[in-house]
Amino acid sequence: PREIQLSDDYQFWRFNILVPNKEKILIEIFNHQLFAGGNYPSLTTLMGVDYKCPVAERVHSQVINLFNNEAFSVEKAKKIVKIIKNNL
């Protein structure tokens, strides 16, 4: 669904979605021998900054990165879409 997709401005290296149950969906994806990522960390810890960034932390807690390159088939993409829609 369009409402879970990040803006087109963020869809370069991977296709990114925001979901309220990230871990559950990732487990389902892996259980079907497929792959997606959940990396989108706040950079404050990497930069040594000692304060919270609630927007960055929320995005990281909800983001799933889906592959969108030639190594990922249309068939796999359809399977992942079905898994995501069934778990929203």
Side-chain angles (χ1 to χ4, degrees):
R2 183 72 183 138
E3 61 269 10
I4 69 169
Q5 298 173 28
L6 266 64
S7 159
D8 290 343
D9 295 335
Y10 299 95
Q11 310 295 16
F12 294 107
W13 179 48
R14 299 230 176 117
F15 189 80
N16 301 284
I17 60 173
L18 293 177
V19 294
N21 54 344
K22 170 184 171 175
E23 296 304 323
K24 179 182 178 190
I25 291 174
L26 285 174
I27 289 168
E28 283 295 314
I29 288 170
F30 288 120
N31 284 344
H32 287 85
Q33 289 74 50
L34 297 166
F35 183 77
N39 298 333
Y40 214 95
S42 169
L43 297 178
T44 55
T45 55
L46 294 175
M47 297 183 321
V49 179
D50 191 28
Y51 58 86
K52 299 284 184 188
C53 293
V55 174
E57 291 164 10
R58 180 184 57 81
V59 169
H60 176 68
S61 74
Q62 297 179 351
V63 75
I64 293 180
N65 322 116
L66 303 169
F67 285 90
N68 61 358
N69 61 28
E70 67 281 347
F72 203 76
S73 71
V74 171
E75 180 182 321
K76 289 179 182 178
K78 287 180 180 180
K79 287 179 183 179
I80 282 186
V81 167
K82 185 175 180 180
I83 291 166
I84 292 166
K85 289 175 103 176
N86 287 340
N87 285 281
L88 286 177

